Amino acid sequence: MRPPVAPPGWSRWLVPPAALSVHLSIGQAYAWSVFKPPLESALDLSGTQSALPFQLGIVMLGLSAAFGGTLVERNGPRWAMSVALVCFSSGFLLAALGAATRQYWLVVLGYGFVGGIGLGIGYISPVSTLLKWFPDRPGMATGIAIMGFGGGALIASPWSARMLESFGTDSSGIALAFLVHGLTYAVFMALGVLLVRVPAPQGTRGPAAADASGGPQVSAREAVRTPQFWCLWVVLCMNVTAGIGILEKAAPMITDFFADSSTPVSASAAAGFVALLSAANMAGRIGWSSASDLLGRKNVYRVYLGAGALMYLLIARFGDDSKPLFVCCALVILSFYGGGFATVPAYLKDLFGTYQVGAIHGRLLTAWSLAGVLGPLIVNWVADRQEGAGKEGAALYGLSFSIMIGLLVVGFVANELVRPVHPRHHLAVPKEAADDDTAEPAAR
């Protein structure tokens, strides 16, 4: 499938809505918890088992983005969005079959493995195209699209809950809800497939969409050989680990912190706290990434990592004394979590150029796969150990928060080590179209 080239006069502002149609759809992944209790009841599963489709989906997101990034660059955004549509929607259809037949392995295979491939390819599908259309505001452009992934749960959570209320929470009701999800998201993602365009070759379009390939360009294969790539890998992994550690256990965490206070947190209030965190995640993606266009990518990551460590310290020391302080600090941390995702494509573009930036971004997302396991593991393992030692309330989380502070400091140091890429890694002759990752670097 050849990438569709924009005709003369075509507005670049049509590209972000095309990207949003995909990211709002695959952002449903953050609403998986809605299906956990019904699945546990209908299929007699443990909490660990019901979390497996989501965990596998996040792992496959990172792996498919890493291994499919070059194909995305080669074949263009329409091909990538089409693959994402087929995988993500068919994953739901397989999960529906699994729920209907009470074969949980089909739910895991469908939603986790097949759907996870759709997550990864869909996540990186618009990145390089947006950076080429908006070389003047790359942080804002990628922030708009990636905001959709963070905000997808705000749509999917109430929608899924309403469907389960209507269809029932038995296996047939869950199957029907999965079926409606798969078909509806296929239609919605198809809008992005039909709408997306790539810029015309350089010299045939206006200056606003001028390609940024005039600067240093680095291939995906060469990028992973640079210290800059691995420093950013550490930065992303540490930032995501810190954010997802709160996000995954948000409701029981706020309940535990104030269980012994005069005003304990109710279940409905804890659910409202989770919704606030999702909103902060989404707002941070567009707000902080846009700010990075003015402040610079390195400076914004200094805020994410340095201020993030301070927020964790405040929660650990004073969080159980003040609900407003706890909530505000958690919201700031989640805004940094979302902002880190949205800012990293522009950071990569600054370092490696637009040539194969999508493929480089895909390889970097393996950091997300590790962080998606590491963050929840730290918080849950420490809490279980502390509970076994007879502790309760805020004391369950003190050690894990100290670990998070240490990880953010590691990320801060890694960010400080980022320097411009050495010219020996640059392409000898920058190319307009990234059709493979075999380009030779400049002579050493």
Side-chain angles (χ1 to χ4, degrees), residues 85-148:
L85 184 160
V86 170
C87 291
F88 189 66
S89 296
S90 61
F92 266 114
L93 300 184
L94 275 174
L97 178 62
T101 59
R102 300 180 61 84
Q103 298 293 318
Y104 189 60
W105 68 272
L106 275 175
V107 179
V108 177
L109 175 66
Y111 189 92
F113 184 80
V114 179
I117 295 173
L119 288 177
I121 300 299
Y123 191 88
I124 63 173
S125 61
V127 169
S128 64
T129 302
L130 283 165
L131 291 174
K132 290 171 183 175
W133 274 113
F134 292 88
D136 51 332
R137 283 179 280 184
M140 179 214 68
T142 55
I144 290 174
I146 293 176
M147 174 185 68

Side-chain angles (χ1 to χ4, degrees), residues 209-237:
D211 191 80
S213 60
Q217 304 295 309
V218 181
S219 70
R221 178 178 295 178
E222 194 67 18
V224 298
R225 300 173 181 174
T226 66
Q228 288 82 357
F229 176 89
W230 293 106
C231 284
L232 277 187
W233 193 97
V234 172
V235 166
L236 183 64
C237 186

Side-chain angles (χ1 to χ4, degrees), residues 34 38 157-170 173-174 177:
V34 174
S157 292
W159 181 43
S160 300
R162 183 63 60 87
M163 276 196 287
L164 290 171
E165 290 176 6
S166 301
F167 301 151
T169 56
D170 58 358
I174 297 170

Side-chain angles (χ1 to χ4, degrees), residues 56-82:
L56 180 58
I58 295 300
V59 171
M60 291 307 301
L61 186 159
L63 295 179
S64 61
F67 290 105
T70 301
L71 291 175
V72 172
E73 288 289 286
R74 181 182 302 157
N75 297 322
R78 176 169 287 181
W79 174 88
M81 289 180 179
S82 299

Side-chain angles (χ1 to χ4, degrees), residues 288 295 298-309 336 412 415:
W288 287 114
L295 302 177
K298 192 168 188 175
N299 287 333
V300 166
Y301 271 96
R302 285 169 172 152
V303 173
Y304 297 159
L305 300 159
F336 293 160
F412 189 94
N415 183 54

Side-chain angles (χ1 to χ4, degrees), residues 365-423:
L365 288 181
T366 54
W368 189 0
S369 293
L370 177 61
V373 175
L374 189 60
L377 179 64
I378 291 172
V379 174
N380 287 289
W381 182 80
V382 170
D384 289 343
R385 298 274 294 189
Q386 299 291 70
E387 187 175 15
K391 296 184 179 180
E392 59 184 17
L396 296 174
Y397 304 98
L399 177 58
S400 61
F401 285 0
S402 297
I403 294 173
M404 294 299 181
I405 292 171
L407 293 178
L408 286 168
V409 170
V410 170
F412 189 94
V413 172
N415 183 54
E416 292 302 307
L417 295 176
V418 174
R419 298 288 187 272
V421 177
H422 194 280

